């Protein structure tokens, strides 16, 4: 009986491990697929640690097609973002705990100021728990609008 129970537990574990989309390359680890309402999928780097969130897209010269960055805050609050040391325009999309879009900043420009305190904040006027960054212009191109729900 114990062997049978052990076999059932192992089989269940194997099936559970095989569920969901898996990373196929080293750069895909610590990512999650975000699916837009139109079915388009983006593989997004997941940021959960404060130091990673603070760095975000700093010092990067591009964002590959079909890629993004997903910030997962512990709780819903007002989260203004800025573009200090970010080199490319980004669409910044704030979502509530249900993954519903509550605010967007489209084609948010990089901050060319040499001093962080001179860079403006964007968004953070609606309570959000998740923030998605996509290449500038992606949100309107994909038809995203306030109230849309993303899947991740």
């Amino acid at each position: 009986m114990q062997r049978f129970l052990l076999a059932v537990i192992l089989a269940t574990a194997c099936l559970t491990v095989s569920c969901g989309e898996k990373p196929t390359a080293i750069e895909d680890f610590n990512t999650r697929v975000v699916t837009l309402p139109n079915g388009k999928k983006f593989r997004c780097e997941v940021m959960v640690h404060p130091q990673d969130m603070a760095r975000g897209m700093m010092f990067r010269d591009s964002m590959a097609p079909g890629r993004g960055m997903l910030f997962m805050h512990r709780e819903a609050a007002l989260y203004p973002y800025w573009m200090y040391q970010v080199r490319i325009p980004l669409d910044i999309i704030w979502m509530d705990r249900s993954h519903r879009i509550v605010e967007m900043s489209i084609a948010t420009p990089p901050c060319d100021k040499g001093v962080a305190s001179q860079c403006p904040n964007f968004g953070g006027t609606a309570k959000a728990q998740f923030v998605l960054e996509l290449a500038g212009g992606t949100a309107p191109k994909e038809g995203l609008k306030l109230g849309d729900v993303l899947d991740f």
Side-chain angles (χ1 to χ4, degrees):
M1 184 64 167
Q2 285 181 328
R3 284 185 182 186
F4 176 75
L5 183 57
L6 181 60
V8 169
I9 291 171
L10 286 173
T12 302
C14 287
L15 288 173
T16 302
V17 169
S18 66
C19 292
E21 293 189 41
K22 290 195 178 32
T24 57
I26 191 72
E27 62 269 7
D28 290 341
F29 284 94
N30 200 33
T31 65
R32 180 175 278 195
V33 173
V34 175
T35 305
L36 306 185
N38 67 3
K40 180 92 180 253
K41 295 178 186 293
F42 287 82
R43 183 161 292 279
C44 299
E45 294 176 57
V46 176
M47 301 295 160
V48 293
H49 301 293
Q51 65 273 20
D52 295 332
M53 288 185 179
R55 185 178 59 252
M57 285 293 296
M58 286 180 167
F59 312 110
R60 298 190 190 191
D61 294 319
S62 65
M63 183 179 285
R67 295 293 184 142
M69 189 171 282
L70 179 63
F71 298 80
M72 303 179 101
H73 296 279
R74 290 189 184 275
E75 58 189 39
L78 301 177
Y79 295 108
Y81 275 52
W82 66 347
M83 297 289 283
Y84 178 65
Q85 300 290 350
V86 176
R87 298 176 177 161
I88 59 171
L90 297 172
D91 291 348
I92 308 173
I93 302 157
W94 288 262
M95 294 166 282
D96 64 15
R97 69 186 65 195
S98 301
H99 306 177
R100 183 178 55 86
I101 298 174
V102 296
E103 188 171 10
M104 294 193 294
S105 178
I106 304 303
T108 311
C111 179
D112 59 2
K113 309 290 185 209
V115 180
S117 62
Q118 294 179 354
C119 293
N121 287 326
F122 295 90
T125 62
K127 273 195 171 185
Q129 188 160 0
F130 306 99
V131 179
L132 175 65
E133 292 181 345
L134 300 173
T138 301
K141 177 181 163 197
E142 299 299 336
L144 288 179
K145 61 190 179 311
L146 292 178
D148 281 350
V149 177
L150 307 187
D151 184 36
F152 55 91

